[in-house]
Amino acid sequence: TQLLEQSPQFLSIQEGENLTVYCNSSSVFSSLQWYRQEPGEGPVLLVTVVTGGEVKKLKRLTFQFGDARKDSSLHITAAQPGDTGLYLCAGGEHSWGKLQFGAGTQVVVTP
Amino acid sequence: KAGVTQTPRYLIKTRGQQVTLSCSPISGHRSVSWYQQTPGQGLQFLFEYFSETQRNKGNFPGRFSGRQFSNSRSEMNVSTLELGDSALYLCASSLVVREDTEAFFGQGTRLTVV
């Protein structure tokens, strides 16, 4: 079983600060996806990375996929209260339909 | 366009009963996956259907089953409910089968077993 470990489990910061969330595995994934989930809602896909060393930017969010395709990071610049949520990483195997999720990082951004 | 629709949103059942949850994917999406989310275990894969065929299955007991209809709508069934089955059940749909295809999740069905 491929396991994804996310760190930290919980992050509380002030508006305007930066934060980084990590997702690590001992196994190689064909792709890695990041989601954000808010209470009472399903996860919403933020980005998918498939190439080792790939960096993607989505406004204030920067996603990186490790060269060996075993780890990833999500960096948020100048966090805003709207960034509050549960951030989940998920690894894709060659068959898309089965995603392996990390336990998630709960991010709280206070004004 | 309409998103993934899961019904019902909330459900309370008694131990030993059975339950059926429904998922309507986005129009045109043929792949539907189901996940169980609990505070202790996080999101765990249950099974995935594509064109009415189960292609992948997670490590859940046989009490958990599913099916997909010709219109891509999917149902999952849990028989002989246990207290530990209390969870948020999420369904995700996708247009095609590729690793980088975007997965759209529904709002989930919150199942409480008492």
Side-chain angles (χ1 to χ4, degrees), chain A residues 21 25 44 74 83 100:
Chain A
V21 177
S25 173
V44 175
L74 156 61
D83 295 326
Q100 179 76 44

PDB file of all heavy atoms in Angstrom, chain A residues 21 25 44 74 83 100:
ATOM      1  N   VAL A  21       2.890  23.437   3.013  1.00  0.00           N
ATOM      2  CA  VAL A  21       2.375  22.127   3.409  1.00  0.00           C
ATOM      3  C   VAL A  21       3.123  21.078   2.595  1.00  0.00           C
ATOM      4  O   VAL A  21       3.366  21.260   1.401  1.00  0.00           O
ATOM      5  CB  VAL A  21       0.860  22.024   3.134  1.00  0.00           C
ATOM      6  CG1 VAL A  21       0.341  20.635   3.465  1.00  0.00           C
ATOM      7  CG2 VAL A  21       0.099  23.077   3.936  1.00  0.00           C
ATOM      8  N   SER A  25       5.983  10.547   0.350  1.00  0.00           N
ATOM      9  CA  SER A  25       5.712   9.119   0.209  1.00  0.00           C
ATOM     10  C   SER A  25       7.006   8.378  -0.072  1.00  0.00           C
ATOM     11  O   SER A  25       7.962   8.945  -0.590  1.00  0.00           O
ATOM     12  CB  SER A  25       4.720   8.887  -0.930  1.00  0.00           C
ATOM     13  OG  SER A  25       4.571   7.503  -1.175  1.00  0.00           O
ATOM     14  N   VAL A  44     -12.249  20.021  -3.421  1.00  0.00           N
ATOM     15  CA  VAL A  44     -12.195  20.709  -4.708  1.00  0.00           C
ATOM     16  C   VAL A  44     -10.763  20.641  -5.212  1.00  0.00           C
ATOM     17  O   VAL A  44      -9.826  21.016  -4.487  1.00  0.00           O
ATOM     18  CB  VAL A  44     -12.647  22.178  -4.573  1.00  0.00           C
ATOM     19  CG1 VAL A  44     -12.459  22.905  -5.906  1.00  0.00           C
ATOM     20  CG2 VAL A  44     -14.105  22.243  -4.143  1.00  0.00           C
ATOM     21  N   LEU A  74       3.040  22.427  -1.178  1.00  0.00           N
ATOM     22  CA  LEU A  74       2.101  23.494  -1.533  1.00  0.00           C
ATOM     23  C   LEU A  74       2.505  24.713  -0.714  1.00  0.00           C
ATOM     24  O   LEU A  74       2.564  24.643   0.519  1.00  0.00           O
ATOM     25  CB  LEU A  74       0.673  23.065  -1.188  1.00  0.00           C
ATOM     26  CG  LEU A  74      -0.369  24.171  -0.942  1.00  0.00           C
ATOM     27  CD1 LEU A  74      -0.543  25.033  -2.170  1.00  0.00           C
ATOM     28  CD2 LEU A  74      -1.696  23.556  -0.519  1.00  0.00           C
ATOM     29  N   ASP A  83      -8.354  31.259   2.465  1.00  0.00           N
ATOM     30  CA  ASP A  83      -7.507  30.077   2.236  1.00  0.00           C
ATOM     31  C   ASP A  83      -7.733  29.018   3.313  1.00  0.00           C
ATOM     32  O   ASP A  83      -7.188  27.915   3.217  1.00  0.00           O
ATOM     33  CB  ASP A  83      -6.026  30.475   2.233  1.00  0.00           C
ATOM     34  CG  ASP A  83      -5.669  31.386   1.075  1.00  0.00           C
ATOM     35  OD1 ASP A  83      -6.250  31.226  -0.018  1.00  0.00           O
ATOM     36  OD2 ASP A  83      -4.814  32.278   1.273  1.00  0.00           O
ATOM     37  N   GLN A 100      -4.971   7.692  -3.715  1.00  0.00           N
ATOM     38  CA  GLN A 100      -4.526   7.477  -2.351  1.00  0.00           C
ATOM     39  C   GLN A 100      -4.381   8.847  -1.703  1.00  0.00           C
ATOM     40  O   GLN A 100      -3.560   9.644  -2.147  1.00  0.00           O
ATOM     41  CB  GLN A 100      -3.183   6.748  -2.345  1.00  0.00           C
ATOM     42  CG  GLN A 100      -2.614   6.496  -0.970  1.00  0.00           C
ATOM     43  CD  GLN A 100      -3.304   5.354  -0.250  1.00  0.00           C
ATOM     44  OE1 GLN A 100      -3.558   4.320  -0.825  1.00  0.00           O
ATOM     45  NE2 GLN A 100      -3.605   5.557   1.022  1.00  0.00           N
TER      46      GLN A 100
END
